Amino acid sequence: MKTVLIANRKGGVGKTTVAVTLAAALADGGWKVGLADADPQRSTARWLKRRPRGAVEIASVDWASPKALDKAPATLDWLVVDSPGALETDEARALVADAKALICPVLPSVFDVESTRRFLKELAEIKRVRKGKVEVLLVANRMRPRDRVVERFEGVFRRIGQEPVARLSERVAYADLAEQGLAVFDKPQRLYRPLRSQWEPLIRAVV
Protein backbone atom coordinates (compact mmCIF):
# COMPACT_ATOMS: atom_id res chain seq x y z
CA MET A 1 0.00 0.00 0.00
CA LYS A 2 1.27 3.46 -0.92
CA THR A 3 0.41 6.45 1.24
CA VAL A 4 -0.05 10.02 0.02
CA LEU A 5 -0.41 12.88 2.51
CA ILE A 6 -2.27 16.10 1.80
CA ALA A 7 -0.90 18.73 4.15
CA ASN A 8 -0.26 22.42 4.74
CA ARG A 9 0.02 24.29 8.02
CA LYS A 10 -2.25 27.02 6.58
CA GLY A 11 -5.95 26.35 6.88
CA GLY A 12 -8.45 26.92 4.09
CA VAL A 13 -6.09 26.04 1.23
CA GLY A 14 -8.27 23.22 -0.12
CA LYS A 15 -6.62 20.19 1.50
CA THR A 16 -9.87 18.28 1.69
CA THR A 17 -10.80 19.02 -1.93
CA VAL A 18 -7.41 17.76 -3.06
CA ALA A 19 -7.68 14.67 -0.85
CA VAL A 20 -11.13 13.58 -2.01
CA THR A 21 -10.46 14.38 -5.66
CA LEU A 22 -7.19 12.47 -5.71
CA ALA A 23 -8.83 9.51 -3.97
CA ALA A 24 -11.64 9.53 -6.54
CA ALA A 25 -9.13 9.77 -9.40
CA LEU A 26 -7.14 6.77 -8.17
CA ALA A 27 -10.32 4.77 -7.57
CA ASP A 28 -11.51 5.66 -11.06
CA GLY A 29 -8.20 4.27 -12.34
CA GLY A 30 -9.08 0.85 -10.97
CA TRP A 31 -7.06 0.88 -7.74
CA LYS A 32 -8.41 0.01 -4.31
CA VAL A 33 -8.28 3.28 -2.42
CA GLY A 34 -8.74 4.30 1.18
CA LEU A 35 -9.29 7.82 2.49
CA ALA A 36 -8.01 8.53 5.99
CA ASP A 37 -9.05 11.58 7.95
CA ALA A 38 -6.33 12.68 10.38
CA ASP A 39 -7.59 16.27 10.47
CA PRO A 40 -9.64 17.25 13.55
CA GLN A 41 -12.24 18.93 11.29
CA ARG A 42 -13.22 15.48 9.91
CA SER A 43 -14.21 16.92 6.51
CA THR A 44 -13.19 13.92 4.41
CA ALA A 45 -15.04 11.54 6.74
CA ARG A 46 -18.22 13.57 6.26
CA TRP A 47 -17.65 13.55 2.47
CA LEU A 48 -17.45 9.77 2.47
CA LYS A 49 -20.71 9.51 4.40
CA ARG A 50 -22.44 11.51 1.65
CA ARG A 51 -21.03 9.29 -1.10
CA PRO A 52 -23.94 7.72 -3.01
CA ARG A 53 -24.46 4.12 -3.95
CA GLY A 54 -23.12 3.36 -7.39
CA ALA A 55 -20.08 5.61 -7.03
CA VAL A 56 -16.68 3.93 -7.19
CA GLU A 57 -15.92 2.59 -3.72
CA ILE A 58 -13.46 4.43 -1.50
CA ALA A 59 -12.78 2.88 1.90
CA SER A 60 -13.12 5.05 4.98
CA VAL A 61 -10.17 4.81 7.36
CA ASP A 62 -10.68 6.39 10.79
CA TRP A 63 -7.54 8.11 11.98
CA ALA A 64 -9.26 10.46 14.42
CA SER A 65 -7.13 9.12 17.27
CA PRO A 66 -3.32 8.82 17.20
CA LYS A 67 -3.77 5.21 18.35
CA ALA A 68 -5.57 4.50 15.07
CA LEU A 69 -2.61 5.50 12.88
CA ASP A 70 -1.35 2.82 10.52
CA LYS A 71 -4.56 0.81 10.90
CA ALA A 72 -5.75 0.49 7.30
CA PRO A 73 -7.00 -2.51 5.31
CA ALA A 74 -4.08 -4.49 3.91
CA THR A 75 -5.99 -4.93 0.65
CA LEU A 76 -5.66 -1.24 -0.29
CA ASP A 77 -3.40 -0.13 -3.12
CA TRP A 78 -3.44 3.53 -2.08
CA LEU A 79 -4.18 5.44 1.09
CA VAL A 80 -4.84 9.18 0.77
CA VAL A 81 -4.53 11.04 4.08
CA ASP A 82 -6.07 14.40 4.88
CA SER A 83 -3.40 15.42 7.37
CA PRO A 84 -3.55 17.85 10.29
CA GLY A 85 -2.28 21.35 9.55
CA ALA A 86 0.97 21.00 11.47
CA LEU A 87 3.28 18.01 11.34
CA GLU A 88 5.03 18.73 14.61
CA THR A 89 3.80 15.91 16.85
CA ASP A 90 5.40 12.47 16.88
CA GLU A 91 2.16 11.00 15.54
CA ALA A 92 2.03 13.43 12.64
CA ARG A 93 5.67 12.88 11.78
CA ALA A 94 4.94 9.17 11.75
CA LEU A 95 2.59 9.87 8.85
CA VAL A 96 5.50 11.24 6.85
CA ALA A 97 7.63 8.24 7.78
CA ASP A 98 5.36 5.93 5.78
CA ALA A 99 4.47 8.27 2.92
CA LYS A 100 5.37 7.97 -0.73
CA ALA A 101 4.52 11.61 -1.39
CA LEU A 102 3.26 14.73 0.37
CA ILE A 103 1.02 17.09 -1.58
CA CYS A 104 0.90 20.67 -0.39
CA PRO A 105 -1.93 22.85 -1.79
CA VAL A 106 -1.19 26.59 -1.96
CA LEU A 107 -3.55 29.50 -2.57
CA PRO A 108 -2.56 32.56 -4.62
CA SER A 109 -2.12 34.97 -1.73
CA VAL A 110 0.92 36.46 -0.02
CA PHE A 111 -0.12 35.10 3.38
CA ASP A 112 -0.62 31.57 2.09
CA VAL A 113 2.65 31.54 0.19
CA GLU A 114 4.68 32.79 3.16
CA SER A 115 3.07 30.21 5.43
CA THR A 116 3.82 27.50 2.88
CA ARG A 117 7.47 28.57 2.67
CA ARG A 118 7.79 28.09 6.43
CA PHE A 119 5.98 24.76 6.19
CA LEU A 120 8.39 23.53 3.51
CA LYS A 121 11.32 24.45 5.74
CA GLU A 122 9.79 22.41 8.55
CA LEU A 123 9.31 19.47 6.22
CA ALA A 124 12.94 19.67 5.13
CA GLU A 125 13.95 18.95 8.73
CA ILE A 126 12.22 15.56 8.65
CA LYS A 127 14.80 12.90 7.86
CA ARG A 128 12.91 11.03 5.11
CA VAL A 129 12.09 14.30 3.33
CA ARG A 130 15.66 15.53 3.65
CA LYS A 131 16.94 12.31 2.10
CA GLY A 132 14.50 12.55 -0.79
CA LYS A 133 12.51 9.46 0.20
CA VAL A 134 9.27 11.44 0.39
CA GLU A 135 8.48 13.58 -2.63
CA VAL A 136 6.95 16.97 -1.76
CA LEU A 137 4.62 18.22 -4.50
CA LEU A 138 3.12 21.71 -4.60
CA VAL A 139 -0.33 22.29 -6.08
CA ALA A 140 -1.45 25.82 -7.00
CA ASN A 141 -5.10 25.82 -6.01
CA ARG A 142 -8.08 28.04 -6.91
CA MET A 143 -6.26 29.84 -9.68
CA ARG A 144 -7.94 32.60 -11.69
CA PRO A 145 -6.09 32.91 -15.02
CA ARG A 146 -6.87 36.60 -15.52
CA ASP A 147 -6.17 37.65 -11.97
CA ARG A 148 -3.14 39.93 -11.54
CA VAL A 149 -2.34 38.14 -8.29
CA VAL A 150 -1.52 35.02 -10.30
CA GLU A 151 1.41 36.76 -12.01
CA ARG A 152 2.94 37.61 -8.63
CA PHE A 153 2.09 34.12 -7.41
CA GLU A 154 4.11 32.53 -10.21
CA GLY A 155 7.06 34.72 -9.27
CA VAL A 156 6.87 33.55 -5.67
CA PHE A 157 7.10 29.93 -6.78
CA ARG A 158 10.33 30.79 -8.56
CA ARG A 159 11.69 32.35 -5.37
CA ILE A 160 10.71 29.28 -3.38
CA GLY A 161 12.65 27.26 -5.92
CA GLN A 162 9.87 24.78 -6.58
CA GLU A 163 7.24 24.96 -9.28
CA PRO A 164 3.76 23.53 -8.67
CA VAL A 165 3.17 20.18 -10.32
CA ALA A 166 -0.42 21.20 -11.12
CA ARG A 167 -2.52 24.35 -11.33
CA LEU A 168 -6.18 23.98 -10.41
CA SER A 169 -8.85 26.51 -11.33
CA GLU A 170 -11.34 27.90 -8.87
CA ARG A 171 -14.70 26.36 -9.82
CA VAL A 172 -17.99 26.01 -7.96
CA ALA A 173 -18.25 22.48 -9.36
CA TYR A 174 -15.94 21.21 -6.61
CA ALA A 175 -18.21 22.47 -3.83
CA ASP A 176 -21.38 21.36 -5.59
CA LEU A 177 -20.05 17.82 -6.08
CA ALA A 178 -18.64 17.65 -2.54
CA GLU A 179 -22.13 18.15 -1.12
CA GLN A 180 -23.07 14.90 -2.87
CA GLY A 181 -19.97 12.98 -1.77
CA LEU A 182 -18.62 13.15 -5.32
CA ALA A 183 -15.60 14.56 -7.17
CA VAL A 184 -14.91 15.50 -10.79
CA PHE A 185 -13.55 12.00 -11.48
CA ASP A 186 -16.97 10.58 -10.66
CA LYS A 187 -18.37 12.58 -13.56
CA PRO A 188 -17.47 11.38 -17.11
CA GLN A 189 -19.48 14.14 -18.78
CA ARG A 190 -17.72 16.50 -21.17
CA LEU A 191 -18.48 19.43 -18.85
CA TYR A 192 -15.93 18.13 -16.33
CA ARG A 193 -13.17 17.15 -18.75
CA PRO A 194 -11.25 20.47 -18.49
CA LEU A 195 -11.17 20.15 -14.71
CA ARG A 196 -10.06 16.52 -14.81
CA SER A 197 -7.27 17.40 -17.24
CA GLN A 198 -5.81 19.87 -14.72
CA TRP A 199 -5.27 16.97 -12.32
CA GLU A 200 -3.41 14.76 -14.79
CA PRO A 201 0.10 16.16 -14.05
CA LEU A 202 -0.42 15.56 -10.32
CA ILE A 203 -1.74 12.04 -10.83
CA ARG A 204 1.22 11.18 -13.08
CA ALA A 205 3.64 12.59 -10.49
CA VAL A 206 2.06 10.52 -7.70
CA VAL A 207 1.61 7.27 -9.60
Side-chain angles (χ1 to χ4, degrees), residues 17-186:
T17 298
V18 172
V20 301
T21 306
L22 179 61
L26 293 170
D28 183 62
W31 284 289
K32 293 181 179 179
V33 180
L35 187 58
D37 200 333
D39 192 309
Q41 295 186 38
R42 313 292 294 146
S43 299
T44 55
R46 291 195 298 272
W47 179 82
L48 281 169
K49 287 182 179 179
R50 297 189 188 101
R51 197 156 175 79
R53 292 181 180 179
V56 179
E57 184 179 358
I58 298 173
S60 178
V61 180
D62 185 7
W63 279 10
S65 166
K67 294 181 180 179
L69 297 184
D70 295 332
K71 291 182 180 179
T75 56
L76 295 178
D77 300 312
W78 290 92
L79 182 64
V80 179
V81 183
D82 191 2
S83 305
L87 295 175
E88 298 172 352
T89 65
D90 291 339
E91 292 84 2
R93 284 176 176 258
L95 297 177
V96 180
D98 293 329
K100 178 183 186 294
L102 185 149
I103 299 172
C104 181
V106 191
L107 295 188
S109 81
V110 173
F111 302 109
D112 288 88
V113 169
E114 289 303 316
S115 177
T116 299
R117 290 179 70 175
R118 293 192 295 272
F119 181 63
L120 293 176
K121 288 182 179 179
E122 291 175 5
L123 289 178
E125 296 175 359
I126 299 175
K127 187 176 181 180
R128 290 194 78 243
V129 175
R130 189 170 63 248
K131 291 190 172 184
K133 294 183 178 180
V134 180
E135 188 171 14
V136 178
L137 304 171
L138 298 184
V139 172
N141 197 21
R142 300 175 189 165
M143 302 287 280
R144 297 175 181 175
R146 297 182 181 180
D147 196 332
R148 290 183 179 179
V149 174
V150 171
E151 296 179 7
R152 297 197 297 272
F153 194 44
E154 295 291 349
V156 170
F157 278 119
R158 288 191 289 272
R159 291 197 296 275
I160 290 177
Q162 184 173 347
E163 289 290 319
V165 70
R167 293 168 170 79
L168 309 176
S169 300
E170 182 177 25
R171 297 291 178 86
V172 296
Y174 289 111
D176 291 343
L177 290 171
E179 291 181 0
Q180 307 169 53
L182 297 172
V184 294
F185 285 91
D186 293 306

